Amino acid sequence: RHTRRSASDDDRIVHSLGVPGFSPRPNRQIACTLMTGQVYSAVMEVRAVAVIPSLNAEQSLGPVLRSALQHVGPVIVVDDGSRDGTAECARKLGAHVVRHLENQGKGAALNTGLREAAAQGYTHAVTLDADGQHNPQDATQLLDAARKDPKALVIGARRFGPNVPGKSQFGR
């Protein structure tokens, strides 16, 4: 059952994985802003997937993917035009693979992965780097937070020590 309230009533509006035209299935809780400025809610279960954008990551992807499968569950790897065996490595380890024939950049790979996640019916996505910068084990804390408040946008932030230059921290 949907309830209607004004967009200003809830500052935690989730745009269902950022996919235009995505409509929630019954028994899931998704808040989405419509063109009218209204927010609609329904009941939700958390169905999570890991999304890993990858470029020439054959050497580093294995440990990340195995850990993501263990700590998150299903994994979508977006091979962003790799010239090595990234896609084959991901398939052998059990990931669903989507390929860009040419490199389109990390942002495009993330968008492709999130669209694929929505198309497969996932409600939440954890994005991880293929080079091991993010520990997939930390995703359990993010998913626990999402299960407590499925409408919230949960973002993990890395802590940098005092010796990391500011320019290396910006955007990460």
Side-chain angles (χ1 to χ4, degrees):
R1 181 135 217 231
H2 290 81
T3 57
R4 184 176 177 177
R5 59 185 193 266
S6 129
S8 61
D9 291 342
D10 190 347
D11 62 344
R12 294 174 299 159
I13 298 168
V14 177
H15 292 280
S16 27
L17 298 173
V19 180
F22 178 85
S23 62
R25 295 179 184 168
N27 299 327
R28 297 182 190 225
Q29 182 169 353
I30 297 284
C32 51
T33 304
L34 303 178
M35 296 302 285
T36 62
Q38 301 299 311
V39 177
Y40 293 83
S41 297
V43 180
M44 176 198 291
E45 69 181 82
V46 173
R47 244 187 111 221
V49 64
V51 174
I52 305 175
S54 305
L55 175 64
N56 298 324
E58 178 181 18
Q59 298 300 314
S60 61
L61 183 60
V64 174
L65 183 50
R66 280 189 286 277
S67 185
L69 288 164
Q70 179 183 358
H71 296 289
V72 178
V75 176
I76 296 171
V77 171
V78 180
D79 181 352
D80 192 26
S82 296
R83 301 288 179 232
D84 65 1
T86 296
E88 295 79 17
C89 172
R91 274 191 203 95
K92 284 181 187 174
L93 292 173
H96 175 77
V97 177
V98 180
R99 290 202 75 208
H100 290 171
L101 295 179
E102 294 182 12
N103 179 264
Q104 297 180 28
K106 184 176 181 179
L110 284 168
N111 280 333
T112 297
L114 294 174
R115 282 191 174 97
E116 183 66 20
Q120 291 186 23
Y122 293 102
T123 60
H124 293 72
V126 176
T127 62
L128 300 167
D129 284 353
D131 61 5
Q133 286 189 52
H134 305 137
N135 183 351
Q137 188 172 356
D138 293 339
T140 57
Q141 294 173 332
L142 299 174
L143 293 172
D144 287 346
R147 286 182 183 99
K148 288 178 185 167
D149 189 355
K151 293 189 297 183
L153 174 61
V154 181
I155 300 172
R158 291 190 275 177
R159 293 191 179 114
F160 295 100
N163 296 328
V164 177
K167 68 179 182 177
S168 295
Q169 296 179 30
F170 182 75
R172 295 184 184 189

